[in-house]
Amino acid sequence: MIRFRPMLKTEFEAYYLGYFIPDYAAEISSNYGLSSDEAIAQAKREIAEDLPNGPETEGQTLVCILDVQDGDEQVVGYLWFRADPVSSSAFINDIYVFPHFQNKGYGKATLNALQDVLDEMGIQHLRLRVAADNERAKHVYEATGFRLTGFNMTKRIGKG
């Protein structure tokens, strides 16, 4: 069974530095043609804007994904989302299942548990963005009922 609990500041540091910045920078570099250094700088800028107070940033929800079995809880990953009750929608910024727990159904179980939480909040629409080259994530999202609503496109211009 999957449950969530608020991410601690110490866990945020591990999430931010150990996973999110390197992973997001690799996506930026791959999809937008930036150098590794440029991509890391952009990833750091964006997370500083989006999460100025880390896990305590108002309007953002960062939680640990817990696998609960026989009363024992084990952290299997992290989830970051933003719910907007006014528009009755939520946006998933990031789901991360630790590598040694991947391919065991935790991604799908996390999405199903999140849907239950959001449904209780009166949220009716769940959205996300997935990188074009992230086939693993696209498979999980499609398997849990997400559908394609458009394409993001980019073109690098200029000399810099």
Side-chain angles (χ1 to χ4, degrees):
M1 179 174 116
I2 295 294
R3 286 188 340 142
F4 306 117
R5 72 157 168 74
M7 184 184 290
L8 305 173
K9 266 205 182 270
T10 54
E11 291 165 325
F12 177 73
E13 296 299 321
Y15 168 73
Y16 165 72
L17 295 173
Y19 155 70
F20 188 83
I21 293 298
D23 186 72
Y24 187 44
E27 178 185 322
I28 291 170
S29 181
S30 171
N31 289 301
Y32 299 100
L34 298 180
S35 72
S36 179
D37 289 342
E38 291 171 315
I40 289 170
Q42 181 174 328
K44 286 181 178 179
R45 261 191 323 273
E46 288 184 28
I47 201 164
E49 290 171 8
D50 292 340
L51 297 169
N53 297 317
E56 296 165 2
T57 300
E58 188 174 336
Q60 303 288 345
T61 302
L62 288 102
V63 295
C64 291
I65 303 166
L66 304 174
D67 179 16
V68 181
Q69 294 183 20
D70 301 323
D72 292 327
E73 295 180 342
Q74 183 171 23
V75 177
V76 298
Y78 305 120
L79 171 63
W80 170 19
F81 68 95
R82 179 182 49 82
D84 181 6
V86 173
S87 67
S88 188
S89 67
F91 187 87
I92 298 172
N93 294 82
D94 189 49
I95 295 176
Y96 178 59
V97 175
F98 300 146
H100 53 283
F101 291 110
Q102 292 176 3
N103 299 315
K104 297 180 180 179
Y106 286 107
K108 291 174 188 170
T110 296
L111 288 167
N112 290 330
L114 176 61
Q115 289 172 193
D116 291 343
V117 168
L118 295 173
D119 186 43
E120 289 178 18
M121 295 171 58
I123 300 296
Q124 297 176 355
H125 300 278
L126 182 55
R127 299 175 296 134
L128 56 85
R129 181 198 164 277
V130 62
D133 61 354
N134 192 341
E135 294 299 327
R136 171 183 273 169
K138 284 193 287 189
H139 168 76
V140 170
Y141 299 138
E142 289 170 351
T144 57
F146 283 85
R147 63 182 181 82
L148 184 64
T149 59
F151 293 98
N152 290 322
M153 298 179 81
T154 188
K155 177 182 179 183
R156 185 148 187 185
I157 59 173
K159 297 176 184 166

